[in-house]
Amino acid sequence: MTPMDPRALRSAFGTFMTGVTVVTAHDANGDPLGFTANSFTSVSIDPPLVLVCLSNSSRNYEALVTASGFAVNILSEAQADISNTFARPVDDRFASVAWGRGPRGAPILEGVSAWFDCSMHKTVEAGDHVILVGEVAAFGHTATPGLGYARGAYVTPSTAADALEQSTNLVVSTLIARDNDVLLVDDGQGGLALPEVLVDGDGVSAAVTKLIASTGLQAEPGFVYSVFEDVRHKRQHISFLCQTGEGSPARGVFVPLVKGALDDVANPAILTMLERFAAETKLGNYGIYYGNQSSGEVRPMTQGR
């Protein structure tokens, strides 16, 4: 077999967009330690297992493989600086970071999108890395979107929106989900639609914030879920996937993602988007649509992030 070019292989791996995490634990002296990792994934629901990969050359190797547990902190889109801190050889990575002990004891960083406090289930040697498999003892999550990483650069909902910021006739919509329901509003013509607004001079971010506020729900702009051109109306359309918790909307209703419930959605492009979302929700594996109102491609995001 022809030897592989490590640099080329690393570049190929880097095309897969991942989330960004900081894995934390305590060393034998009880001091906190942590490192940035994007090699994280969920493994099992029953029992609740997650895994993360650690380089054999890491200075945290011995402490992690002998630890009784660890935590995985999924960074929010505003925490790129924390990712950088824990990726560099800093003497005290926790000096500039707000954190506390999780229910099981591992360090939990403040402001993260989600966290998992785990006991060590097993370690598996795998080439030049070791796989740490943890059993989730406690976890927490918010509606704050996570920080992404692909091709050596951070990816956030706001950067994706900035690419379309200069477009004229740009329409922003919010796909606000709660469990297996989605918020739909009156489209003014007897049908249903996603909450949407034409972007003005204040830009995409301000438009999304105002749009969410108009629903009366507590939600955060999530990942860009769909980007398409409505050729017939000469408009660009970008839809943000958002999650919300309890509360009644100030306008619109939550509609279940079941057959027949979306029949009143008049816009065929939005209907197709919602049908795709219903199918992806069952799998917990989402993609981003790029194209026009009738055809395009879905580029997958990482599963379980």
Side-chain angles (χ1 to χ4, degrees):
M1 180 181 294
T2 303
M4 293 185 182
D5 181 348
R7 183 182 296 274
L9 182 59
R10 183 183 297 274
S11 296
F13 284 154
T15 64
F16 186 56
M17 188 173 76
T18 70
V20 184
T21 76
V22 169
V23 179
T24 57
H26 291 282
D27 63 19
N29 297 321
D31 296 323
L33 60 89
F35 65 97
T36 299
N38 63 350
S39 55
F40 161 78
T41 188
S42 57
V43 175
S44 170
I45 296 296
D46 185 16
L49 301 177
V50 299
L51 70 76
V52 66
C53 297
L54 173 68
S55 172
N56 293 347
S57 61
S58 170
R59 66 177 183 176
N60 296 311
Y61 178 87
E62 190 63 31
L64 262 298
V65 297
T66 58
S68 63
F70 61 89
V72 178
N73 297 267
I74 298 179
L75 300 185
S76 72
E77 67 168 346
Q79 294 180 314
D81 57 332
I82 294 179
S83 171
N84 291 332
T85 295
F86 281 84
R88 296 169 179 161
V90 179
D91 288 336
D92 187 358
R93 291 171 169 172
F94 288 84
S96 61
V97 178
W99 64 280
R101 290 181 177 269
R104 197 188 173 280
I108 304 297
L109 308 185
E110 291 187 6
V112 296
S113 289
W115 56 267
F116 305 91
D117 198 358
C118 308
S119 60
M120 189 70 77
H121 181 71
K122 68 168 60 176
T123 61
V124 181
E125 296 293 336
D128 57 7
H129 279 65
V130 62
I131 301 172
L132 309 177
V133 182
E135 181 166 355
V136 179
F139 69 96
H141 63 98
T142 70
T144 305
L147 180 65
Y149 193 79
R151 295 187 183 274
Y154 294 116
V155 180
T156 69
S158 57
T159 58
D162 287 343
L164 295 173
E165 187 85 24
Q166 303 304 318
S167 300
T168 57
N169 295 325
L170 175 60
V171 175
V172 166
S173 66
T174 51
L175 201 171
I176 301 177
R178 175 192 291 164
D179 297 326
N180 293 317
D181 299 342
V182 64
L183 181 69
L184 297 178
V185 299
D186 187 346
D187 67 359
Q189 300 178 2
L192 294 174
L194 292 175
E196 67 176 36
V197 66
L198 187 65
V199 177
D200 58 21
D202 292 334
V204 171
S205 296
V208 175
T209 299
K210 292 176 183 177
L211 196 56
I212 293 175
S214 73
T215 68
L217 296 168
Q218 296 295 317
E220 293 287 339
F223 285 106
V224 172
Y225 186 67
S226 183
V227 179
F228 67 89
E229 180 182 9
D230 188 337
V231 177
R232 186 163 64 92
H233 294 98
K234 297 182 179 179
R235 286 183 170 180
Q236 297 286 337
H237 195 115
I238 179 171
S239 184
F240 286 81
L241 174 57
C242 312
Q243 298 289 337
T244 188
E246 298 300 321
S248 299
R251 66 186 183 108
V253 295
F254 278 99
V255 176
L257 295 168
V258 296
K259 185 176 182 180
L262 304 175
D263 290 348
D264 289 333
V265 177
N267 187 320
I270 300 301
L271 177 59
T272 298
M273 182 200 308
L274 291 172
E275 290 173 340
R276 173 170 71 90
F277 181 66
E280 291 178 344
T281 297
K282 293 180 181 179
L283 300 174
N285 194 13
Y286 301 97
I288 305 173
Y289 175 85
Y290 295 89
N292 58 34
Q293 78 277 11
S294 58
S295 63
E297 62 174 319
V298 177
R299 301 176 186 176
M301 293 188 286
T302 52
Q303 183 173 5
R305 297 294 201 277

